[in-house]
Amino acid sequence: MVENGHHHHHHPPATVPPPPTIHRPLGAARGPAYPPAEQLTQLSYCIHSNPSWGQTVLLGFQHYIVMLGSVVMISTRLVPQMGGNNGDKARVIQSVLFMSGLNTLLQTLIGSRLPTVMGPSFAYTLSVLSIINDFADEDFSSEHERFVHTMRAIQGALIISSFANMIIGFSRAWGDFTKFFSPVIIVAYVCVVGLGLFGRGFPELGNCVEIGLPMLIFLVVFQQYMKRLHHRAESLLERFALLFCIALVWAFAAILTAAGAYNNVGRTTQLSCRTDRSYLMESAPWIKVSYPFQWGTPIFRASHVFGMMGAALVSTVESTGTFYAASRFAGATPPPAHVISRSIGFQGIGQLLDGTFGSIVGNTASVENVGLLGLTHVGSRRVVQVSAAFMFFFSIFGKFGAFFASIPLPIFAAIYCVLYGLVAAVGVTFIQFTNNNSMRNIYILGTSLFLGISISQYFVMNTDYVRTGQGPVRSSGGWFNDILNTIFSSPPTVAMIVGTLLDNTLDVHDTHDDRGVPWWVPFQHRTGDERNNEFYSFPLRIDKYMPRRYL
């Protein structure tokens, strides 16, 4: 038997390599991962979409009520120390309201174009106290004369120092500086805009717990929980629960006052809790129109002007951070550098008008009203412009304005506990555009947040706000002290300084993407993103009369 020479070799079957193991991110392994989103979800109305006129008017009135707390708080704190009586306080409140309405229209029409209410700034408190202290030893025929003389000095300081904002704004220097920002800086910066105001929240609420605490609880329950009981009640309570809660708790406070609950308590408790301790209804005129130099010819002193310039710069920093928060709540892109410059320039013009019309402090973007945009989910520009109409109305018809200005301050403090928290939280949302796992970014964020709050708190705790206005910096130059004490008493200013220094000096080139710069840069240029023109262009044909560099 002969073999044919073909041998059949049986090879073992080829082994199939196992499929490659795919390592999924930890977050995706346990649930959905959410990609970065440039717009917040669940916004009912954005910057140029508007609710019905009926809702617009009610929402505008709600913005007016919310900003009223700062107006009353600043006037109540400063006017008595200037020698003013209740009638003087009522006139100051009317002047501040009038200027707030004018500055709000100025910003929403041709300034930032964002839905931001412009209200009085606490940053000017130290400078005003320094002016008050300068006249403490002078002899006046009456306390009213001392008040008027102090107001004239404040007017002069506001007028001259306003040029600081106009120069850094219209020269575009401030906008060019903001180009050094990245989302890493913005997170800490905007967070501290809200968190840094914690002193106006529960500490003020605690002055009258039986009024402030129910207001806080009712606001959360009505606005967040009760709206889920029925779909028809959702939009109503979401947008107007704040007004309902204010009316309810204010009526409760009036009942306690009428029943004599505060007849035998301390003076501080009476001022915080009683509804008849503002004395505004008795002293406010029925009709009073603010007009230029209503307190007399301004008094100009170099030391007052330099101290007020520090406050003007701080208000610039605080307004800028508030504008970034407002752009998120309004569904707009972050404001470009030229828009920031333009808005600060017009804020300077607003401060010039503040001094001309006799406001007690300069203006800034109202943080609480930006928080209200997030609370109601309505970021409409028209709503804020309608709120300016209410400011004008109640500044002219004093008795009506005084009625709402007599709301106890702990009610406003309870509102701030929610609204300031929303502004702080919206700052956190910018972190999605950075590398959240970068230890460098974590270091910068932690240091900026902590020092922003800690350094400013040190200055606040060591400043005499009752009599002299002196802070920890006490050199022989009073104006120099005012500048440094004002700057370092501002949490957003400190957080911005620390964050900008660290983010632009630590591994700048190697961490370009980690910092979120590729996402941020296009928004900082006029043509970097096509939506910039949609959100920030001028209305009608104003652009024909404005230099191209500010458009």
Side-chain angles (χ1 to χ4, degrees):
M1 187 172 185
V2 180
E3 295 180 358
N4 58 13
H6 296 283
H7 303 280
H8 297 280
H9 302 281
H10 298 281
H11 300 283
T15 58
V16 180
T21 303
I22 300 176
H23 298 282
R24 303 177 66 191
L26 286 177
R30 292 174 174 82
Y34 297 97
E38 292 180 353
Q39 278 193 321
L40 298 174
T41 59
Q42 301 174 346
L43 289 178
S44 301
Y45 296 95
C46 295
I47 186 169
H48 44 46
S49 59
N50 305 303
S52 65
W53 274 107
Q55 292 192 43
T56 297
V57 171
L58 277 177
L59 288 166
F61 178 70
Q62 194 167 237
H63 273 280
Y64 160 74
I65 291 294
V66 167
M67 67 84 59
L68 194 57
S70 294
V71 176
V72 175
M73 199 176 295
I74 288 177
S75 302
T76 302
R77 177 183 297 180
L78 295 178
V79 171
Q81 297 188 57
M82 298 164 61
N85 55 30
N86 293 318
D88 296 325
K89 183 171 75 170
R91 286 186 63 191
V92 167
I93 289 176
Q94 287 180 274
S95 300
V96 175
L97 276 178
F98 182 83
M99 290 313 306
S100 296
L102 188 59
N103 288 324
T104 297
L105 285 183
L106 195 66
Q107 283 293 343
T108 55
L109 287 173
I110 55 178
S112 68
R113 298 283 290 147
L114 288 165
T116 51
V117 170
M118 301 300 291
S121 172
F122 283 84
Y124 293 83
T125 302
L126 283 180
S127 301
V128 171
L129 287 174
S130 180
I131 295 174
I132 294 172
N133 189 48
D134 279 354
F135 300 123
D137 298 329
E138 294 190 18
D139 293 327
F140 295 99
S141 60
S142 65
E143 282 294 284
H144 179 70
E145 184 183 347
R146 183 164 76 91
F147 165 77
V148 172
H149 192 82
T150 308
M151 281 298 302
R152 291 167 58 198
I154 293 172
Q155 278 185 273
L158 284 172
I159 289 172
I160 301 301
S161 63
S162 67
F163 289 94
N165 276 355
M166 285 190 273
I167 290 172
I168 66 173
F170 291 130
S171 69
R172 300 191 65 177
W174 183 248
D176 290 339
F177 173 73
T178 61
K179 292 180 180 178
F180 287 100
F181 294 170
S182 73
V184 176
I185 300 172
I186 296 298
V187 172
Y189 186 8
V190 177
C191 273
V192 177
V193 166
L195 293 179
L197 300 175
F198 67 88
R200 293 181 224 163
F202 208 88
E204 288 286 343
L205 182 155
N207 291 333
C208 190
V209 177
E210 59 269 32
I211 292 177
L213 194 57
M215 179 65 200
L216 177 59
I217 294 172
F218 287 165
L219 180 58
V220 174
V221 171
F222 278 89
Q223 211 267 342
Q224 294 296 323
Y225 291 95
M226 290 192 67
K227 73 176 184 180
R228 305 179 189 279
L229 297 179
H230 197 280
H231 67 278
R232 291 185 179 179
E234 182 173 357
S235 61
L236 186 66
L237 288 176
E238 183 177 80
R239 294 170 197 172
F240 305 112
L242 181 62
L243 285 178
F244 177 74
C245 292
I246 290 176
L248 184 65
V249 178
W250 190 13
F252 174 63
I255 293 172
L256 290 179
T257 301
Y262 303 115
N263 290 345
N264 300 313
V265 297
R267 182 175 179 274
T268 303
T269 303
Q270 289 193 11
L271 290 174
S272 298
C273 299
R274 295 184 69 98
T275 57
D276 58 358
R277 278 293 181 266
S278 64
Y279 301 108
L280 294 175
M281 287 294 295
E282 299 87 347
S283 53
W286 277 103
I287 298 177
K288 179 70 177 180
V289 180
S290 298
Y291 55 90
F293 308 118
Q294 59 181 322
W295 307 110
T297 306
I299 298 173
F300 301 99
R301 282 193 184 180
S303 59
H304 297 166
V305 171
F306 284 116
M308 199 70 81
M309 280 185 179
L313 293 175
V314 168
S315 71
T316 293
V317 175
E318 294 178 347
S319 289
T320 303
T322 309
F323 289 147
Y324 287 128
S327 67
R328 272 310 258 166
F329 282 134
T333 57
H338 71 281
V339 171
I340 291 293
S341 289
R342 188 175 75 198
S343 65
I344 297 306
F346 279 105
Q347 185 171 317
I349 292 178
Q351 183 177 326
L352 175 65
L353 295 173
D354 286 332
T356 303
F357 281 81
S359 178
I360 198 170
V361 292
N363 67 97
T364 190
S366 172
V367 179
E368 52 266 35
N369 288 89
V370 170
L372 187 59
L373 300 179
L375 186 72
T376 60
H377 300 179
V378 177
S380 169
R381 184 190 292 126
R382 178 186 292 175
V383 167
V384 171
Q385 291 170 341
V386 168
S387 74
F390 282 105
M391 297 175 211
F392 287 133
F393 177 85
F394 289 113
S395 70
I396 295 173
F397 298 96
K399 292 291 185 185
F400 297 101
F403 174 71
F404 293 105
S406 62
I407 298 174
L409 290 179
I411 292 180
F412 289 108
I415 298 171
Y416 297 159
C417 288
V418 176
L419 300 186
Y420 290 156
L422 286 172
V423 174
V426 84
V428 178
T429 65
F430 284 96
I431 202 172
Q432 64 186 310
F433 308 112
T434 70
N435 182 359
N436 301 336
N437 299 310
S438 167
M439 286 303 299
R440 172 198 178 273
N441 291 351
I442 292 173
Y443 176 84
I444 293 174
L445 285 176
T447 306
S448 303
L449 283 169
F450 186 82
L451 291 182
I453 295 176
S454 184
I455 291 177
S456 60
Q457 182 64 10
Y458 167 78
F459 275 77
V460 169
M461 290 174 62
N462 291 278
T463 299
D464 183 4
Y465 287 98
V466 178
R467 295 185 302 274
T468 63
Q470 291 184 346
V473 180
R474 300 185 181 183
S475 67
S476 57
W479 60 271
F480 179 76
N481 299 340
D482 290 341
I483 291 176
L484 288 187
N485 287 326
T486 300
I487 288 176
F488 290 104
S489 295
S490 167
T493 305
V494 177
M496 185 271 293
I497 292 172
V498 174
T500 304
L501 284 174
L502 292 177
D503 192 51
N504 288 277
T505 55
L506 291 177
D507 302 326
V508 180
H509 301 293
D510 297 334
T511 56
H512 184 266
D513 293 346
D514 286 352
R515 298 166 61 210
V517 174
W519 175 83
W520 180 257
V521 166
F523 297 119
Q524 300 310 299
H525 300 280
R526 181 182 292 106
T527 58
D529 190 286
E530 60 184 8
R531 294 167 294 176
N532 286 347
N533 189 57
E534 174 189 353
F535 296 130
Y536 299 106
S537 61
F538 286 118
L540 304 177
R541 297 185 179 274
I542 295 179
D543 56 319
K544 288 188 174 182
Y545 306 99
M546 289 289 291
R548 175 66 182 170
R549 64 190 301 180
Y550 302 122
L551 301 181

